[in-house]
Amino acid sequence: MFDAKAIRQDPDLFDAGWTKRGLDPQAKRIIELDARRRAAIASLQELQTRRNDASKAIGKAKASGNDDEAQKLIDQIAQFKTAIQEGEDKERELMAQMDDLLSGLPNLPFDDVPQGEDETANVEIRQYGTKPDFDFEPKEHSDLGVDLGQMDFEAAARLSGARFVVLSGHLARLERALAGFMLDAHTTEFGYTEYVPPLLVRESTMFGTAQLPKFADDQFQTADGYWLIPTAEVPLTNLVRQQILNEDALPLRFTAHTPCFRLEAGAAGKDTRGMIRQHQFSKVELVSITTPDNSMEEHERLTNCAEEILKRLDLHYRVVVLCTGDMGFSAQKTYDLEVWLPGQNKYREISSCSNCGDFQARRMDARYRSESDKAIKFVHTLNGSGLAIGRTLVAILENYQQADGSIIVPDAVRPYMSGLERITVES
């Protein structure tokens, strides 16, 4: 969310950024609405001044015995009261229009973000490892899990409907093991502090990270107005909401393992089979809070932390920088980590690592005090999956599958599985 003053000062900069994201120029519309709002404020202030002056004059008129003048002033104040009420209503209406307009506009992309309409314009920047070579036709994870008797979509449908799954046995344990493995790496080696945040948050919290109002149709809401988190990014980033931090405390690095809930309203017909796109899934999230000078470097660091998990699992993946048309609403630049799934014969996103600049911080009023000039400035926020646990489980099933349908457990997670080396039907 942007400051109207900044848009007035450099409208071409904002229009250029929004145009790159496929939007029509918006600056003129914002400036005109802001001018009307500021004119309404000025008019209101003038009325309030005249009312105050008239109130003072009443006392003087009464003191001098001029009752007619005093009554005239009293009548004027009554008129001012009506006009002020109308002015306040107008100001609130214009402010609401401004907030609605600004809150619906996405962040501006960095200059080095490729321009494009969709994922076909994303740019691959590196790969790790090689695709596994099978001497048999690899299966998709859903077939493997069902054949193992430890992945049940039919039971989930009876319980909850489509886009849910029931895991059991060692596949259930593998999901738990992956969470422990990831959290241990991020907290003991990579400098993140672990949190257990609420899964239900207020509307203002969802607004702070820009899930609301634009993406309300993708969220689950309870009957009493709480929202189920679509990602731990929401509560973790909002930990600094309405705070003024000291610069020497930055960067702050948070991580959490939580369930995540998404309606997937825009995914009708997509990935209806398997665990790729579900209403409920598990994820380890990474969030960084830092200064503007360090946010680009922190973005690379956060991405590398997520990559390291894939490397330790020995999973082939690639890193792509998302184009302007495929990038998230809050992001200025995003790296996607895409893991290779041999059963699907394609790369699939397993982590998105984004630098949001001060976009979310402005919505949350999250700031810091600069050591150099003591000025109060907005922090920069970053987030990424480190990793999506369900998709990591999917990747292990498809990449570590054997001809007999069993699954080799990656070395990195065996300590979290009591040394189990292979998942079989019997296990």
Side-chain angles (χ1 to χ4, degrees), residues 62-94:
K62 287 184 175 181
S64 64
N66 192 342
D67 292 339
D68 289 342
E69 179 64 20
Q71 186 57 50
K72 182 180 178 181
L73 290 167
I74 291 171
D75 293 340
Q76 285 182 354
I77 288 175
Q79 294 174 357
F80 285 142
K81 182 179 180 181
T82 300
I84 288 171
Q85 182 62 56
E86 292 174 349
E88 289 174 343
D89 291 343
K90 183 176 181 181
E91 181 193 356
R92 279 194 293 269
E93 179 185 350
L94 291 170

Side-chain angles (χ1 to χ4, degrees), residues 243-368:
Q243 302 293 304
I244 299 178
L245 308 167
N246 291 323
E247 184 175 1
D248 61 7
L250 302 177
L252 296 173
R253 299 183 178 116
F254 309 140
T255 186
H257 165 228
T258 67
C260 305
F261 306 91
R262 297 182 187 176
L263 274 172
E264 297 290 355
K270 296 180 181 178
D271 298 312
T272 55
R273 188 170 183 264
M275 291 179 58
I276 290 294
R277 196 181 301 272
Q278 297 200 303
H279 291 313
Q280 176 186 321
F281 58 96
S282 183
K283 185 153 67 80
V284 169
E285 185 73 4
L286 306 176
V287 165
S288 295
I289 312 294
T290 189
T291 62
D293 290 342
N294 294 327
S295 69
M296 290 187 180
E297 179 181 351
E298 185 69 18
H299 190 199
E300 302 298 326
R301 183 189 187 279
L302 184 150
T303 304
N304 289 336
C305 290
E307 284 188 70
E308 183 61 27
I309 299 299
L310 287 169
K311 290 177 180 178
R312 294 185 185 187
L313 294 172
D314 198 20
L315 292 170
H316 170 58
Y317 69 91
R318 66 180 183 180
V319 182
V320 300
V321 58
L322 299 191
C323 72
T324 53
D326 197 32
M327 194 165 58
F329 183 82
S330 297
Q332 289 196 277
K333 185 176 183 179
T334 297
Y335 295 121
D336 264 12
L337 310 185
E338 297 182 346
V339 68
W340 176 251
L341 298 183
Q344 296 189 23
N345 195 37
K346 64 173 65 173
Y347 290 99
R348 298 302 300 256
E349 173 207 333
I350 198 167
S351 173
S352 282
C353 301
S354 298
N355 186 345
C356 298
D358 65 5
F359 186 80
Q360 294 176 327
R362 290 181 178 276
R363 299 168 77 105
M364 298 185 302
D365 193 24
R367 297 170 291 167
Y368 74 100

Side-chain angles (χ1 to χ4, degrees), residues 9-10 63 91 120 123 151 161 207-208 220 248 284 318 330 354 378 384 408 421:
Q9 292 174 340
D10 198 348
E91 181 193 356
T120 59
V123 177
M151 183 180 292
F207 178 86
F220 284 99
D248 61 7
V284 169
R318 66 180 183 180
S330 297
S354 298
F378 287 104
I408 299 297
E421 297 181 0

Side-chain angles (χ1 to χ4, degrees), residues 145 148-152 165-180 257 275 282 389-390 393 397 416-417 420 423-424 427:
L148 286 169
Q150 299 172 36
M151 183 180 292
D152 196 333
V165 67
V166 173
L167 298 178
S168 61
H170 280 100
L171 288 191
R173 186 169 186 180
L174 178 58
E175 176 161 311
R176 174 162 54 93
L178 288 169
H257 165 228
M275 291 179 58
S282 183
I389 293 176
L393 186 146
L397 290 177
Y416 299 86
M417 299 280 289
L420 183 71
I423 298 174
T424 63
S427 67

